[in-house]
Amino acid sequence: MPDLLIELFSEEIPARMQARAREELKSLVTNGLVEAGLTYASAGAFSTPRRLTLTIEGLTAESKPVREERKGPSATAPEAAIQGFLRATGLTLDQLERRADKKGETLYAILEKPGRKAPEIIAEVLESTIRTFPWPKSMRWGTGALRWVRPLHSILCLLHDETGSHIVPMSVDGIAATNTTEGHRFLSPGRFAVTGFDDYATKLKRAHVVLDSAEREAAIWQGAQNLAFAAGMEVVEDKGLLTEVAGLVEWPVPLMGRIAEDFLHLPPEVLQTSMKEHQKFFSVKNPRTGRIEGFVTVANTQPADHGATILKGNQKVLTARLSDARFFYENDLRVAKAGMGEWLDGLKSVTFHNKLGSQADRIGRIAALAREIAPLVGADAALAEQAAKLAKADLRSSMVGEFPELQGLMGLYYARAAGLPEPVALAARDHYSPLGPSDAVPTDPVSVAVALADKIDTLTGFWAIDEKPTGSKDPFALRRAALGVIRLVLTNEVRFDLASTLLLALSRNILAVGQGHGAPVDFAENSLKDLTGSVATRARALFGAVAEHVQFFRDEVRAMIGATVENPDSRTNDLLSFFHDRLKVFLKDQGIRHDVIDACLAMPGNDDLTLLVKRAEALAAFLKTEDGPNLLQGYKRANTILTQAEQKDGVEYSFGADVKFAETDEERALFAALDAAEAAITPAMSAEDFPAAMRGMAQLRAPIDAFFTAVQVNSDNQIVRRNRLNLLHRIRAICSGVADLTRIEG
């Protein structure tokens, strides 16, 4: 079986496109060959800045002939039907077969496709791949119609078998396939011929081209570490930058330089970001001082002077870049030490959303909400409000204007420079977190309060203007914001009534839409806060089962909002359902089944996410024990019998079970077991000790099994039957107090 080698040689391919491009090349070519009838043993794709390469081993030499038999209409069918069948098959009437069956004669088409040689198929597939290649951006050049990411110079297409190597005859826009390629642009100019992949890779290495991007990455990282180690320092790891730099060079040569003393006072993140974004330098840290004091650049050549000239030029450019960064930083420090008022005023002219006002309007809502949330997370309310008001001030700083990815982090430095309390500084850095599933979750109480307020305001704001995520689109990253709230709550074990908090924030945002962007801040700080006190007070009232408190709060909100805007209750419930959906996804990743989560969501208090997850974890653990599935089966049997009897009799069997009517030992044992389980489960549920409640419920497994084995529920004696049905109700009531077990599958 022959092996296939393909190389598409062009001007420099952007580094960010290379990984996807090599996978697309592999997928398009191999799928095309298989669809055309060829098979292969293995395939591998490679890329360098100037080439995409594909090697396929064990390719079949030709496709097999295909014979297809297609049944058509009856021979006596209308002419239109027969003509349609002929058009579909590409045959004439005299080429069809007539076969007798019970209804007369039926027409059959026999379609035969002869096998084709591999070169013919390869040429066809490769040309189609080149012409339709899905580059994110592409260009035309010269007078041709071909589009490619950069001008395509040559095509290498070679089949190699036991008889030798053969060029696959093909061309695209005048570029004919050959068996030649080029090495490094400067170190090994000129073309050379190859006979197969092994020969190709070996000759490229001699021509100063490392074909495998993983090998280039390893060489860069090892070289950079060696240079740093020799200087008593260490390279700051950056996998994204490593991949990008490996896509910029074919023959990597790491070189290390030093940062001038004038810039070492800059925050390390500023130095690292500036060097990475502008010059693709790796940062080198002095472990003794913790400062970024050097850099590693990667040359695409082997310099004769050991890189002295290259480093001199790079350091000259770096000095100019870092001079700008120093100017930005020192100018920002002046504003920060003056109280950041200049930045806060500037945020009034920065639009957050045209329906939700400016960043300053939003900061007012976040600050009010952070003050409300603070007692729930153990934070000082005044400190949380102050942190929320200043957390986004750095958005107007020069440094964040140059490097937006430093938002929050620069706020930390500026808050410290202004002499603000450390919790305020930490909140400036951490209130954006967590940004993703692997991002760290803040734990400082003030940071948690501001982070929750920020994300909840974002969600309720877009719910207020009906800009919700759809199945395929989430332009405002609302799913990420909801997951951030969930992780903040669960990591810090925050206990609060999420529904009331959402209602509070949603009401403010509805007012922002209905009364103008400046109104909701005054409303939040004066009117709404006076209605029922803080969210913490409402939460404590709710945990004390004062349901009237919630209704009072909602009635007052409706009265304040008036009839000009939609009642926020339905939107609050919709947003709470959105949180539950995101929680299902989060817990599923933790190994908790969706039906277990549904069983817990059906219980009261499902807007207390910490309580909800504790319940779900305990139920999931219980169902993994031997008692879990068996008790579930007994519970469902009891529930089914009871439900059917209640429907048939038109009554509810919910009280009156008495042990004096028990006729068997198994009945009496079940009465005793239910009394013991209730005595164990009730205090455990009150204490929110769900594992203990599950253990109490597990004790019912054997008595319930024995009861159903020995006892016929629907006895002829109606008094006994009613007593047993009431006993089944006790099973349902006790077990349902832990979770809605009817929602558990299996």
Side-chain angles (χ1 to χ4, degrees), residues 609-732:
L609 301 184
T610 300
L611 181 73
L612 175 61
V613 171
K614 285 182 178 180
R615 188 192 298 263
E617 289 173 344
L619 180 57
F622 173 64
L623 291 175
K624 291 178 181 178
T625 67
E626 182 181 353
D627 289 332
N630 291 332
L631 176 63
L632 181 63
Q633 186 178 14
Y635 166 83
K636 289 193 172 183
R637 185 175 180 182
N639 185 60
T640 300
I641 294 172
L642 182 59
T643 302
Q644 290 173 347
E646 289 177 335
Q647 290 174 348
K648 177 183 176 182
D649 300 342
V651 297
E652 181 181 288
Y653 295 101
S654 58
F655 62 93
D658 195 326
V659 69
K660 71 182 180 181
F661 295 112
E663 295 184 336
T664 68
D665 291 340
E666 289 79 8
E667 280 182 271
R668 285 184 281 273
L670 182 56
F671 270 102
L674 288 170
D675 290 341
E678 195 167 17
I681 292 173
T682 301
M685 291 298 295
S686 297
E688 298 175 0
D689 187 353
F690 297 114
M694 298 297 169
R695 289 193 296 272
M697 197 165 64
Q699 301 305 310
L700 293 173
R701 175 227 169 159
I704 290 175
D705 287 349
F707 174 81
F708 282 120
T709 301
V711 176
Q712 180 181 345
V713 175
N714 290 309
S715 170
D716 293 335
N717 185 323
Q718 290 303 308
I719 295 176
V720 173
R721 175 178 178 268
R722 184 166 55 251
N723 194 60
R724 288 173 178 171
L725 289 171
N726 283 322
L727 185 60
L728 296 188
H729 172 79
R730 284 197 68 192
I731 296 174
R732 181 167 69 181

Side-chain angles (χ1 to χ4, degrees), residues 435 439 469 602 607 667:
L435 292 174
D439 196 20
D607 60 342
E667 280 182 271

Side-chain angles (χ1 to χ4, degrees), residues 1-7 29 33 38-42 54-63 116-126 155-170 177-180 194-200:
M1 289 185 172
D3 297 334
L4 175 64
L5 174 62
I6 295 171
E7 181 200 73
V29 173
L33 295 177
L38 299 181
T39 62
Y40 65 96
S42 63
L54 176 65
T55 175
I56 299 177
E57 296 181 351
L59 190 67
T60 47
E62 59 183 311
S63 63
R116 294 195 295 163
K117 298 292 185 183
E120 179 185 349
I121 295 174
I122 292 168
E124 181 181 286
V125 169
L126 184 55
I155 300 171
L156 185 154
C157 191
L158 202 61
L159 270 175
H160 176 78
D161 57 21
E162 60 276 4
T163 65
S165 299
H166 312 280
I167 298 172
V168 176
M170 65 156 299
T178 68
N179 64 344
T180 64
V194 299
T195 59
F197 178 73
D198 290 340
D199 183 49
Y200 170 80

Side-chain angles (χ1 to χ4, degrees), residues 425-645:
L426 292 175
R429 180 191 65 187
D430 295 337
H431 78 283
Y432 292 105
S433 299
L435 292 174
S438 60
D439 196 20
V441 177
T443 56
D444 182 81
V446 172
S447 297
V448 173
V450 179
L452 284 171
D454 182 26
K455 291 169 176 57
I456 289 174
D457 179 77
T458 298
L459 287 157
T460 54
F462 286 105
W463 244 255
I465 60 175
D466 203 26
E467 290 280 358
K468 308 171 189 175
T470 63
S472 59
K473 294 182 179 179
D474 186 11
F476 303 110
L478 300 184
R479 291 188 180 93
R480 186 176 70 184
L483 181 58
V485 171
I486 289 168
R487 293 186 64 203
L488 282 161
V489 168
L490 298 183
T491 300
N492 294 282
E493 297 187 349
V494 179
R495 300 295 306 277
F496 74 121
D497 170 25
L498 180 59
S500 282
T501 305
L502 294 177
L503 179 62
L504 175 66
L506 187 59
S507 301
R508 286 173 176 147
N509 275 290
I510 288 175
L511 283 165
V513 178
Q515 296 185 10
H517 304 308
V521 176
D522 296 335
F523 178 83
E525 292 180 346
N526 300 315
S527 305
L528 189 57
K529 188 180 358 177
D530 294 336
L531 294 179
T532 55
S534 70
V535 176
T537 303
R538 289 196 301 280
R540 284 192 291 272
L542 285 170
F543 291 143
V546 185
E548 297 82 2
H549 198 79
V550 181
Q551 190 58 49
F552 168 75
F553 173 65
R554 292 180 175 175
D555 289 344
E556 292 291 342
V557 168
R558 282 194 290 270
M560 284 298 261
I561 293 175
T564 57
V565 293
E566 182 185 335
N567 184 336
D569 280 358
S570 62
R571 299 193 191 190
T572 301
N573 293 334
D574 183 54
L575 181 52
L576 185 60
S577 296
F578 179 73
F579 269 100
H580 287 160
D581 289 340
R582 302 323 302 160
L583 182 63
K584 286 182 183 181
V585 174
F586 177 74
L587 292 181
K588 184 178 179 182
D589 292 339
Q590 311 301 313
I592 299 179
R593 293 166 12 200
H594 68 89
D595 56 333
V596 172
I597 305 168
D598 287 335
C600 297
L601 283 172
M603 304 303 292
N606 63 12
D607 60 342
D608 181 351
L609 301 184
T610 300
L611 181 73
L612 175 61
V613 171
K614 285 182 178 180
R615 188 192 298 263
E617 289 173 344
L619 180 57
F622 173 64
L623 291 175
K624 291 178 181 178
T625 67
E626 182 181 353
D627 289 332
N630 291 332
L631 176 63
L632 181 63
Q633 186 178 14
Y635 166 83
K636 289 193 172 183
R637 185 175 180 182
N639 185 60
T640 300
I641 294 172
L642 182 59
T643 302
Q644 290 173 347

Side-chain angles (χ1 to χ4, degrees), residues 28-98:
L28 291 171
V29 173
T30 55
N31 289 344
L33 295 177
V34 170
E35 288 172 7
L38 299 181
T39 62
Y40 65 96
S42 63
F46 305 89
S47 63
T48 77
R50 296 205 295 165
R51 71 198 81 222
L52 292 178
T53 301
L54 176 65
T55 175
I56 299 177
E57 296 181 351
L59 190 67
T60 47
E62 59 183 311
S63 63
K64 294 180 179 179
V66 177
R67 187 179 189 275
E68 179 186 357
E69 184 178 288
R70 193 178 301 178
K71 184 179 179 180
S74 169
T76 58
E79 182 66 20
I82 295 175
Q83 290 300 320
F85 183 62
L86 293 176
R87 287 193 298 271
T89 58
L91 301 178
T92 60
L93 185 59
D94 59 333
Q95 292 176 308
L96 301 182
E97 287 187 8
R98 294 170 179 264

